[in-house]
Amino acid sequence: MCGIVGYVGYRDAYPIVIKGLHRLEYRGYDSAGIALLDEELKIYKKAGKVSDLESHVKDIDMVGSLGMGHTRWATHGAPSDRNSHPHQSGNRKLSIIHNGIIENYAVLKETLLAKGHVFMSDTDTEVLIHFVEDIQQETGLDLQDAVRIALNKVVGAYAIVIMSADEPDLLIAARKGSPMVIGVGEGEYFVASDATPIVEYTKNVIYLNDNEIAYIRRNDLLIKNIDNTVQAPYIQRLELQLEMLEKGGFEHFMLKEIYEQPRSIHDCMRGRIYPQEGKVQLGGIKEYTEKLKNIDRIIIVACGTSWHAGLVGEYLIEEYARVPVEVEYASEFRYRNPIISEKDLVIAISQSGETADTMAALELAKEKGATIFGVCNVVGASIPRLTHAGVYTHAGPEIGVASTKAFTAQVTVLTLIAFYTAQQRGTITQSKLVEYLTQLNDIPQLVEKALKANDRIVEIASEFKNSSNCLFLGRGSSFPVALEGALKLKEISYIHAEGYPAAEMKHGPIALIDENMPVVVIATKHSSYEKVISNIQEVKARGGHIIAIVTEGDNDVRAMADYVIEIPETAEPFVPLVATIPLQLLAYHTAVMRGCNVDQPRNLAKSVTVE
Ligand code: F6R
C-alpha cells in the first residue's frame, strides 16, 4: 500500500529511484512522484503508473544525488496529480513521501489552517509536513528535532521519508506500522518499503523498527528512537536474488508465479520433511512443541487469499491433529472483543507480512497473552518480527498482485504444521505419516502435471470469457479452493464470481443458475465425491454449464459435465494444492482475453498496510 524509495550517495538518484518505483509498483499504482535535490528541491508527480511519470519527465534533465520517489494507493484524496506524493511544506523547503495513514490529520489540519497554512492537496501526508514546518517555525528547532516532535504527536501508521532544500545530504526516514528497509552501501544509502529496489546495489540491509527515525547522510547513518535515544542498527544479509524480480520470459508475473509452484512448494518443504522416517521438522516452532502438544484451541487470523489458506489449514489441523481451529478475518477479529487467553495459539497467515488488519489482530492476541505464530513469505517483514515463532513459506518474491504461489506455499506450511502437531500429540500413526509424507513429497511433480492442462484451460476460458457471473463449488477442503478460485477470477478479470460449499447452493444461490451461468465444480474422487455428483446434477437440471475439476481418468463426471479439467490423482489432504492450479490458470487466461492488466488489477495493491 504505497511504495517508497530514497537514495543518498554519489550516484545520480533518478535512475535508482525510478527503477525502485517500478519494483514497488505492486504496492499501488494510482500515481507516482519523485523529489530530487541538486541546487534546488524539485518535485515531479503524475496520476497514473510509474511509466506515466517517466513519460512526463522524459525531456527534463533529472539531476541530483539525493532523491526519493513514491507510488501511491489512494486513501485520503482521489488519485490525481495534486494528491500525488511527494508533498511539500508551505515554504516549499521540505518534502515528504508517506506510506500509511495519519489518523489525527483532521485535527492537526484544523489547527494549521487556523494558523494560516494553505494546503494544495486533500491528503493526510501534506498535513504532516506542514506540521513539521510549523514546529520548526514555532520553536526554532532543527529539522531532526522537529520531525521527532511531530511524530510523537501523530496517531496512525507511517513509513515516511523527508528531504529538505537546506540539507543537501540528508534523508530522514521513520516508521511506525508500515515497513521500511535501509540498504547500506559504501558512501551511499538506500531506503525503501521492501528490499527489491535495493538488492542490485547492496545485500546489507537494516529493517527499521517501529518508532525509529533514521538520519541518513551519504557517509553516516544515525538511528534514534522516537524518544531520542540512539539505537544500534542490526545489519542483515539479504537472501533475495535479482533474477527473482524479473519476468523470466513469461508475459506476466502472475503466469510466471503460477508456473513456479512446483519449485516453490518444493522449497517450502525442503529440509522439513523426512518421508522415510515419517518425520516433520519445523525449526521455527520447535521451541513451542510442548505448547502444541497441550493446546486446546488454535485461532487462525488472515485476510483474502491467506484467509482461504487458513480454511484449508482448519480442515487439516482438525482432521489430523484433532485440535479445534477457528479461522477469522483479521479485520473482524480485532473489533469484536474476542475471547482469547494465554492457553490459545494464534497463527497469522500473510504473504507480505505487512497486512495492517492481520498485524492489529496479532497485537491484540499478544496483549491478551496468547502465543502467536506467523506463516509469512517475506523474510524480516513486520509480522514475523512480532510473533513468538513461525514458519516461513519460502515461495520467493510474489510480484503479481493476485496471490498464487504464496497460497500453495501457505497451504503446504499448514499441512506441515498439521502433521507436526499430529505427530507430537500422537493423533496420527507413524505408518500413516510415512504414507502421507511420501505423497506430499511428490506434490511438486503432480503440480507440474496439473499445469499441463493449460491449453485445455485456454479453450475453456475463451468459451466463458464474456460471462458476467460465475459460481465455484467445492466440499470439504475443496470449499476454500472454490473460494480462492472465485477470488482469483473476480479480482483480475472483473467477472463477478462467488465460491460456495456445493451443498449450500440449494439454500439460495441455485436461484441464479440458468443457461448463462458457468459453474466450476471441484469434483475429485474423494470423500464427498457422490454428493458433489448430486450437486452437479442439480446445476445441470437448471441449464447451468459445468466446468468440472476431476481426478484423471474419471469418465462419470465427464459424461455429465460440459467441460472437464483433469488433475492427477492424489490423497485427500493434498487436493487443495493440486486443484488450485487449474483455477489460477482459468482466472489468468480469462483476464488476459478480456484485456485486463492481470499483474496490476484495478483498485488493488499487493501489500495492504492500511486498515
Ligand atoms: C488476493 C490477495 C489478497 C491477499 C490479502 C492478504 O489475490 O492477494 O487477498 O491475500 O490482501 O495479504 P497478505 O497475505 O500479504 O497478508
Side-chain angles (χ1 to χ4, degrees):
M1 210 105 308
C2 297
I4 60 184
V5 55
Y7 176 77
V8 54
Y10 54 87
R11 313 184 206 212
D12 272 342
Y14 176 71
I16 296 167
V17 171
I18 201 80
K19 203 169 192 185
L21 288 184
H22 278 294
R23 296 250 162 85
L24 293 173
E25 201 165 20
Y26 72 88
R27 301 178 68 88
Y29 28 85
D30 287 332
S31 66
I34 285 191
L36 288 174
L37 183 54
D38 188 29
E39 270 155 20
E40 48 185 317
L41 180 61
K42 292 204 171 134
I43 310 271
Y44 309 91
K45 52 191 192 175
K46 201 80 204 124
K49 305 242 158 139
V50 175
S51 53
D52 296 314
L53 173 68
E54 269 179 302
S55 318
H56 176 62
V57 301
K58 72 177 188 318
D59 298 325
I60 301 171
D61 199 10
M62 302 291 278
V63 285
S65 51
L66 184 75
M68 63 185 186
H70 185 270
T71 176
R72 178 169 187 245
W73 186 84
T75 57
H76 292 60
S80 63
D81 291 352
R82 61 191 282 275
N83 286 331
S84 308
H85 298 214
H87 291 287
Q88 287 183 278
S89 55
N91 60 13
R92 300 282 167 268
K93 288 204 164 179
L94 306 179
S95 178
I96 186 170
I97 52 174
H98 169 215
N99 167 30
I101 291 183
I102 307 300
E103 287 170 11
N104 58 339
Y105 86 101
V107 181
L108 294 173
K109 189 170 185 175
E110 215 172 285
T111 316
L112 292 165
L113 281 169
K115 288 180 168 182
H117 283 256
V118 176
F119 292 92
M120 315 298 285
S121 77
D122 311 315
T123 63
D124 50 338
T125 308
E126 191 188 9
V127 174
L128 177 55
I129 200 65
H130 276 250
F131 186 39
V132 173
E133 175 188 21
D134 191 66
I135 293 170
Q136 271 194 298
Q137 283 168 352
E138 296 260 306
T139 61
L141 287 171
D142 65 12
L143 180 62
Q144 283 94 317
D145 284 332
V147 170
R148 182 174 49 76
I149 288 167
L151 293 180
N152 269 292
K153 299 200 167 151
V154 151
V155 179
Y158 55 77
I160 54 163
V161 184
I162 291 178
M163 282 168 53
S164 163
D166 293 336
E167 300 261 16
D169 185 34
L170 175 69
L171 286 178
I172 300 182
R175 77 157 271 179
K176 182 182 173 196
S178 299
M180 175 80 80
V181 189
I182 299 173
V184 183
E186 284 188 18
E188 59 182 352
Y189 286 95
F190 308 78
V191 291
S193 300
D194 69 26
T196 58
I198 297 174
V199 62
E200 69 190 272
Y201 308 104
T202 175
K203 293 233 161 185
N204 294 329
V205 295
I206 298 163
Y207 291 92
L208 209 60
N209 292 312
D210 273 351
N211 295 316
E212 285 183 345
I213 309 176
Y215 306 100
I216 312 167
R217 299 176 189 276
R218 69 189 62 185
N219 284 312
D220 186 42
L221 170 69
L222 174 65
I223 299 180
K224 288 184 170 182
N225 72 11
I226 207 160
D227 303 327
N228 213 19
T229 320
V230 175
Q231 307 291 298
Y234 169 54
I235 301 182
Q236 301 186 30
R237 285 291 289 173
L238 276 179
E239 301 270 324
L240 195 66
Q241 307 297 331
L242 198 54
E243 314 78 73
M244 294 173 171
L245 306 175
E246 314 287 343
K247 280 192 200 147
F250 286 89
E251 204 183 329
H252 296 101
F253 279 112
M254 182 179 175
L255 191 61
K256 174 185 173 227
E257 287 157 8
I258 291 173
Y259 273 87
E260 273 174 357
Q261 288 174 107
R263 189 198 50 74
S264 54
I265 295 172
H266 173 78
D267 287 351
C268 181
M269 297 189 295
R270 200 174 37 199
R272 291 172 168 169
I273 62 167
Y274 299 87
Q276 285 163 3
E277 296 164 49
K279 194 169 110 188
V280 180
Q281 193 166 285
L282 294 171
I285 59 171
K286 200 166 154 225
E287 272 182 52
Y288 288 83
T289 304
E290 276 309 306
K291 175 103 196 166
L292 285 172
K293 270 188 195 163
N294 301 306
I295 199 86
D296 291 334
R297 180 172 76 141
I298 294 176
I299 301 167
I300 295 178
V301 291
C303 303
T305 287
S306 300
W307 183 78
H308 297 156
L311 291 176
V312 177
E314 177 183 21
Y315 280 91
L316 296 170
I317 295 170
E318 290 198 342
E319 174 74 27
Y320 299 104
R322 307 305 296 152
V323 184
V325 179
E326 288 167 28
V327 186
E328 303 260 5
Y329 284 117
S331 54
E332 289 297 315
F333 177 76
R334 54 177 302 215
Y335 285 116
R336 62 164 180 75
N337 196 13
I339 301 165
I340 317 163
S341 73
E342 55 290 345
K343 287 200 200 140
D344 291 317
L345 169 65
V346 175
I347 304 180
I349 307 173
S350 175
Q351 186 286 128
S352 62
E354 300 290 348
T355 301
D357 286 320
T358 310
M359 267 174 61
L362 270 196
E363 272 158 4
L364 176 75
K366 204 174 181 185
E367 254 168 48
K368 295 196 178 226
T371 300
I372 56 173
F373 284 5
V375 174
C376 295
N377 194 38
V378 179
V379 176
S382 301
I383 291 177
R385 289 189 299 139
L386 194 76
T387 49
H388 295 115
V391 185
Y392 279 116
T393 47
H394 294 314
E398 190 179 65
I399 293 166
V401 164
S403 190
T404 52
K405 64 174 180 172
F407 174 75
T408 47
Q410 289 165 344
V411 171
T412 305
V413 164
L414 291 163
T415 310
L416 298 180
I417 291 178
F419 288 150
Y420 182 71
T421 312
Q423 185 176 38
Q424 301 304 328
R425 292 165 70 90
T427 50
I428 192 164
T429 62
Q430 199 56 22
S431 59
K432 201 74 199 158
L433 204 51
V434 168
E435 181 192 323
Y436 277 156
L437 293 182
T438 306
Q439 295 191 28
L440 183 58
N441 207 27
D442 288 340
I443 290 296
Q445 283 102 286
L446 301 193
V447 168
E448 191 85 63
K449 236 174 148 188
L451 287 165
K452 299 224 154 61
N454 185 58
D455 292 350
R456 173 84 181 124
I457 295 168
V458 170
E459 285 164 28
I460 298 173
S462 74
E463 202 62 40
F464 290 104
K465 64 177 189 295
N466 295 321
S467 302
S468 313
N469 298 289
C470 188
L471 271 184
F472 287 74
L473 305 177
R475 294 181 82 129
S477 61
S478 292
F479 160 53
V481 175
L483 289 175
E484 176 59 9
L487 177 60
K488 283 297 83 100
L489 187 69
K490 74 180 118 183
E491 70 182 331
I492 61 168
S493 76
Y494 317 139
I495 294 175
H496 172 241
E498 296 294 337
Y500 265 96
E504 265 299 296
M505 188 190 53
K506 57 185 172 294
H507 298 289
I510 199 163
L512 293 169
I513 289 173
D514 62 15
E515 58 288 351
N516 298 317
M517 178 67 93
V519 182
V520 179
V521 187
I522 300 139
T524 54
K525 278 201 168 155
H526 295 102
S527 52
S528 309
Y529 178 66
E530 306 295 340
K531 305 260 182 230
V532 174
I533 286 187
S534 308
N535 301 136
I536 290 177
Q537 300 287 18
E538 288 154 17
V539 174
K540 285 304 299 168
R542 283 146 186 99
H545 295 282
I546 295 283
I547 302 161
I549 312 297
V550 301
T551 308
E552 211 169 20
D554 181 341
N555 290 324
D556 297 339
V557 176
R558 186 179 288 278
M560 285 170 235
D562 299 272
Y563 300 87
V564 295
I565 302 169
E566 291 193 339
I567 58 169
E569 190 168 352
T570 181
E572 185 144 15
F574 313 122
V575 172
L577 288 171
V578 186
T580 300
I581 307 299
L583 304 190
Q584 294 170 342
L585 287 169
L586 185 65
Y588 171 79
H589 289 299
T590 308
V592 169
M593 286 172 199
R594 288 166 67 91
C596 301
N597 184 342
V598 291
D599 279 340
Q600 295 179 344
R602 69 184 178 208
N603 305 337
L604 292 176
K606 182 91 188 141
S607 178
V608 186
T609 54
V610 296
E611 293 173 25

